[in-house]
Amino acid sequence: MSVLTEPRAGKAAKSWNTASSAPAALRVPVDPNRGRKRMLWVSAAAVIVALHVLAFAGTDFDPALLVDGWQGMARFISDAFPPNLDWETVIKPGLDATLVTLWIGLLGTTLSIPSALVLAVLASRTTTPHPAAYQVSRSILSFFRAVPDIVFALIFVTAVGLGPFAGVLALICHNTGVMGKLWAESMEETDQGPQQALSTAGASKLQQIAHGSLPLVIPQFVGLLLYRFDVNVRSSLVLGLVGAGGIGLLINQAIKSFQFDTMLTHIIIVLVLIIIVDQASGFIRRKLAV
Amino acid sequence: MQQAALSVSSLAKSYNGRTVLDDVDFQVHRGELVAFLGANGSGKSTTLKCVAGLAEPDAGRIELDGQQLAGLSGRQLALARSTAAMVFQKIHLVPRRTALDNVCAGGLARVSGLASVSPMFFSRQLREEAMACLDRVGLADRALEKVGRLSGGQQQRVAIARALCQRAAVLLADEPVSALDPNAAEHVMALLAELAHEENLAVAAVLHQPELAIRHADRAIGLLHGSIAFNAPVAELNEKILHTLYSPERNAA
């Protein structure tokens, strides 16, 4: 590098010494890899275009179909209006079920804290006691993350039957995987100084983690926890569709019995819940960040 | 002469084939403050890190308070090493915790069970000892304040209190005042000298400013290219010696 820049500096200095009015200029060297870089860009673009062509074909992507079928959609929506606002048969059961959805999201989040915490400590390079523990816990986290919560729900339904409990169990499993990974990553990013200082004081590995590492990451941990609560409440809606209780179940029933006006009421209730949860967790996270 | 609190002999260390320490011998006795001087890369920080266990020496013997470190391993080695406490340039306290909780953490080697998990479970005995340590560095009135709210100089004094709570015989300080303003640096250095002279600790401090060493230390050890080039009372430090110690840096710059 210095070989390239030195002559340029030298020439620039000379032109200033002679006090010429034209600004110093030097030809920009040609990048010897320019051709190869250009080839790389072109082939990358070609691959991306090819993938999209395959994807359009594979998903029967056809905007004309959407234009032709607009009446079906209009009929569906006009059937849904006005929403059915009957308190006894629609709104009250809807609110009760929404509360169940909220409880599923809450328990699915909080009950995964212990398992996520243990796995995060083992799966963070800065706190893991052994490389083998690191690899094993990383694999466990990947597994829980890779299996969608809806698949966990279907499995648990076979054990504990239809209902919210299966939904809670499913969320605990999936959320352990996601939150454990997020926590492990935020732990790897934090300052290791205090942990190191405690190691020189003769503190055990557990003590170093409890008094040196964890207290530094608590704000990040709480922020990620609230974010996951937000996501889990929305996931528990979908879990309702496969029989795990909550408002999702009611929406599914309304669609199946063609009561689209009832469905619309439920969707509005869900919308309000989502907005409230989103705003509340956002508010707390902003407060924590300060 | 009494037995040295810290005794190092034939210490050697190299990183990727580059020799950092070559046959380093020295002793630090209780009751004295020894300043380690030298240019960047002369090996003064590495020396302290080898003693504290933050770097692994290639060869050499380290003796802390009469106990040989070679041959020990695991928990025994950690406990033997805790005879030496370390104070860092970057302080390394937990800013969100109170000064008192941070000082208590220095005594973790003596606690077990629940207290290992949270400061909530620290015993009254440990808290009172930590308070005494904070009082020793002049910060008893800030005990319940979060460390992040204290000034740099106060934070470094809390870190020194944490080292005291470790009940160490040897205090290692790696550039303890490099991040502090001159006034705070003066205060911290005076405290380190006081701890050596009044509490009978063996204090070894890596310093970047020879003037601080001359004002506060009893003895200076000068390192040049990983070897000891000077080891005598600070009164014997002069321009010529300092020039020799710091000339490699001038050549490089």
Side-chain angles (χ1 to χ4, degrees), chain A residues 67-113:
Chain A
V67 174
D68 291 342
W70 71 274
Q71 286 133 326
M73 214 157 63
R75 198 160 50 245
F76 176 76
I77 290 171
S78 69
D79 280 351
F81 274 100
N84 184 349
L85 297 179
D86 187 79
W87 174 258
E88 274 305 316
T89 60
V90 181
I91 295 186
K92 191 172 177 299
L95 288 177
D96 288 344
T98 303
L99 210 57
V100 172
T101 295
L102 189 67
W103 296 152
I104 296 174
L106 181 71
L107 290 183
T109 312
T110 54
L111 295 184
S112 63
I113 292 175

Side-chain angles (χ1 to χ4, degrees), chain B residues 15-186:
Chain B
Y15 285 114
N16 310 323
R18 197 173 60 87
T19 304
V20 183
L21 292 178
D22 183 21
D23 204 18
V24 169
D25 292 89
F26 67 89
Q27 298 189 324
V28 183
H29 292 89
R30 279 179 177 271
E32 68 170 346
L33 167 55
V34 177
F36 281 73
L37 301 173
N40 288 331
S42 61
K44 45 196 195 321
S45 284
T46 308
T47 305
L48 292 202
K49 282 183 184 149
C50 285
V51 176
L54 295 174
E56 199 56 46
D58 300 336
R61 291 154 57 88
I62 299 169
E63 217 176 283
L64 279 168
D65 221 13
Q67 193 176 16
Q68 190 51 245
L69 292 190
L72 298 177
S73 64
R75 194 72 198 133
Q76 271 183 314
L77 179 63
L79 285 178
R81 274 219 164 97
S82 70
T83 309
M86 185 110 172
V87 173
F88 302 82
Q89 177 189 357
K90 290 185 177 164
I91 298 165
H92 293 338
L93 297 166
V94 177
R96 293 171 47 81
R97 285 200 174 165
T98 63
L100 183 65
D101 284 346
N102 270 288
V103 174
C104 284
L108 277 173
R110 300 192 296 277
V111 306
S112 56
L114 261 186
S116 293
V117 179
S118 164
M120 273 192 301
F121 306 116
F122 284 149
S123 68
R124 195 173 132 206
Q125 194 191 355
L126 178 60
R127 281 167 192 282
E128 287 179 353
E129 184 177 343
M131 267 315 286
C133 296
L134 269 175
D135 189 43
R136 187 67 193 79
V137 302
L139 287 171
D141 55 331
R142 314 303 286 271
L144 297 182
E145 242 172 282
K146 292 226 165 92
V147 161
R149 298 179 157 244
L150 302 177
S151 72
Q154 289 171 332
Q155 290 186 13
Q156 193 57 289
R157 280 150 65 200
V158 172
I160 292 170
R162 177 172 68 182
L164 292 177
C165 195
Q166 196 179 321
R167 296 184 189 164
V170 179
L171 189 55
L172 308 167
D174 189 6
E175 297 187 29
V177 298
S178 295
L180 305 180
D181 67 55
N183 198 17
E186 205 63 37

